[in-house]
Amino acid sequence: MPLTVDGRFAPYGPSHWAALGLFAIGCAGLVLLGRAQRAGAEPGSEFGGQARGFSRAYALAIVYVMIGTQAHTLLPGQWRLGGSLPLQLCDVAWVASVGALWTLGRRWFALTYYWGLTLSVQGLLTPALNGADYPGIDYLGFFGMHLMIVWSAVYLTWGLGMRPDRGGYGFAVAVTVAWAVATFVFNLSAGTNYGYLNAKPGTGSVLDLMGPWPWYVLVEALVILLGWALITWPWTRASRRGRTSPPPEATRQRL
């Protein structure tokens, strides 16, 4: 049964809080699992067999869920030019999550880290969801996609110990700019609004604090650049400190 009286999703209603609670529980569980897998890895191996096996199973689970929800949007009764095409950034982010989980590669991880921990988290906190509430397919598809993206970033970062760096930051910025330009041009030609690059969403969002179009797009870009730099800095700082700190044996010898 839907959790709202009229069957429509309500931000910060019971079904939204349920999704956020599931998000927190999933984050904690995946961090603990990833750390256990890391501790059980063979000496000299960055990722053990358990981590690779689980991450690939997780990647296949994302593909399974997303193929089902994407296929639903393409059905004759559901098709909309302005909403059925996989052109939202989260539609690209889940593919990046699959790539990161399957390969444990640095560039796929960079996209998952930056997109997942900022833009997909924003989707969880301020969902632009106009469809039916739980257990409607729109609700399940929206939160299923966003949860799996963010969980992937959390698992890879705080579970398996993968870290972003300056190269990954630059790569993520370049790919995001390429997506934004291509999507903006498509929106202009097709009269759509993927990525909310051409107009704000009808529901309330953080974009309402950034002024009218096109200024909110520029403000959003600056916020993203600064935010991504801030979530890169602790890891690069720790890496520099690790490289410059003398080993314990050398310190004892000097003393």
Side-chain angles (χ1 to χ4, degrees):
M1 293 292 292
L3 298 180
T4 54
V5 176
D6 61 357
R8 306 293 292 179
F9 175 80
Y12 292 98
S15 62
H16 190 186
W17 282 113
L20 293 177
L22 180 62
F23 163 66
I25 294 171
C27 285
L30 286 168
V31 168
L32 294 175
L33 176 63
R35 290 183 176 180
Q37 292 170 344
R38 196 192 332 172
E42 297 179 1
S45 174
E46 185 177 9
F47 304 109
Q50 288 185 342
R52 292 190 178 276
F54 174 80
S55 62
R56 290 193 171 187
Y58 186 8
L60 292 176
I62 295 176
V63 172
Y64 176 80
V65 171
M66 293 313 304
I67 286 178
T69 56
Q70 291 287 344
H72 176 262
T73 65
L74 299 177
L75 294 176
Q78 302 295 326
W79 163 258
R80 293 187 302 110
L81 177 62
S84 297
L85 298 177
L87 296 179
Q88 301 283 16
L89 188 57
C90 283
D91 293 316
V92 187
W94 76 258
V95 176
S97 296
V98 169
L101 290 165
W102 189 266
T103 67
L104 298 178
R106 296 295 172 179
R107 288 194 167 184
W108 286 116
F109 165 72
L111 296 177
T112 304
Y113 178 82
Y114 292 110
W115 289 346
L117 296 181
T118 56
L119 304 177
S120 293
V121 165
Q122 178 187 331
L124 289 174
L125 297 177
T126 58
L129 182 60
N130 296 315
D133 202 354
Y134 176 86
I137 188 64
D138 291 336
Y139 173 94
L140 296 174
F142 180 89
F143 282 105
M145 175 174 64
H146 286 77
L147 286 172
M148 289 187 296
I149 293 170
V150 183
W151 280 341
S152 299
V154 170
Y155 168 71
L156 294 170
T157 305
W158 288 279
L160 294 188
M162 299 183 72
R163 300 291 182 254
D165 54 26
R166 292 177 180 174
Y169 171 85
F171 177 72
V173 169
V175 174
T176 305
V177 169
W179 165 83
V181 171
T183 304
F184 179 78
V185 172
F186 179 85
N187 286 338
L188 286 178
S189 62
T192 56
N193 189 31
Y194 288 101
Y196 305 114
L197 295 171
N198 299 66
K200 296 179 184 179
T203 57
S205 73
V206 70
L207 298 180
D208 295 331
L209 306 175
M210 300 181 182
W213 186 91
W215 303 111
Y216 78 82
V217 178
L218 299 177
V219 173
E220 183 183 21
L222 292 175
V223 169
I224 289 173
L225 290 174
L226 178 59
W228 286 3
L230 288 176
I231 64 174
T232 306
W233 175 73
W235 305 117
T236 56
R237 181 173 179 268
S239 178
R240 288 197 302 270
R241 290 179 60 182
R243 289 195 300 267
T244 57
S245 298
E249 294 77 6
T251 303
R252 286 196 295 267
Q253 289 176 3
R254 286 202 302 269
L255 295 176

